[in-house]
Amino acid sequence: MVLQKGTKYGLTFGQILSLLTVIGGILTVWVSLNVRIAQAEVRIQVLERQFEATAKSIEQIRIENREDHRVLMDKLDELMKIKLDK
């Protein structure tokens, strides 16, 4: 058979074909993993940007709520003074 015929490299055609298949498989897996890792890195960067935007938004809302609460407390103090004066 042709696959069992020796070559000048000391391997049979079948062994050379098998070796090329294994190398091709390893190369395919390596490329696939690199692509998946790159996609994961992009997703992580997007999520980090979204997280930072959300954190800024939450901080702004907290500041606004604190200001509103202070205004409400001042108005309640004024109402209590008016009621005590009567």
Side-chain angles (χ1 to χ4, degrees):
M1 284 194 118
V2 175
L3 293 178
Q4 295 177 353
K5 187 175 181 185
T7 62
K8 63 181 178 180
Y9 301 111
L11 299 172
T12 64
F13 286 114
Q15 290 172 332
I16 292 173
L17 185 60
S18 297
L19 184 61
L20 290 175
T21 302
V22 168
I23 291 172
I26 290 171
L27 183 64
T28 302
V29 168
W30 181 75
V31 168
S32 176
L33 286 175
N34 280 338
V35 167
R36 292 176 92 187
I37 289 171
Q39 289 173 343
E41 288 174 350
V42 168
R43 280 195 309 253
I44 288 170
Q45 289 173 353
V46 168
L47 289 172
E48 285 175 347
R49 276 188 249 126
Q50 289 175 348
F51 176 76
E52 290 172 4
T54 302
K56 287 178 184 177
S57 175
I58 288 171
E59 182 63 20
Q60 182 64 31
I61 291 170
R62 186 190 70 77
I63 291 169
E64 290 172 359
N65 284 343
R66 193 165 188 110
E67 291 171 2
D68 292 344
H69 183 73
R70 185 186 49 78
V71 169
L72 285 173
M73 292 302 291
D74 290 343
K75 288 182 180 181
L76 284 173
D77 288 342
E78 288 176 25
L79 286 173
M80 289 174 65
K81 286 179 186 178
I82 292 172
K83 187 170 185 177
L84 290 175
D85 289 340
K86 286 186 178 183

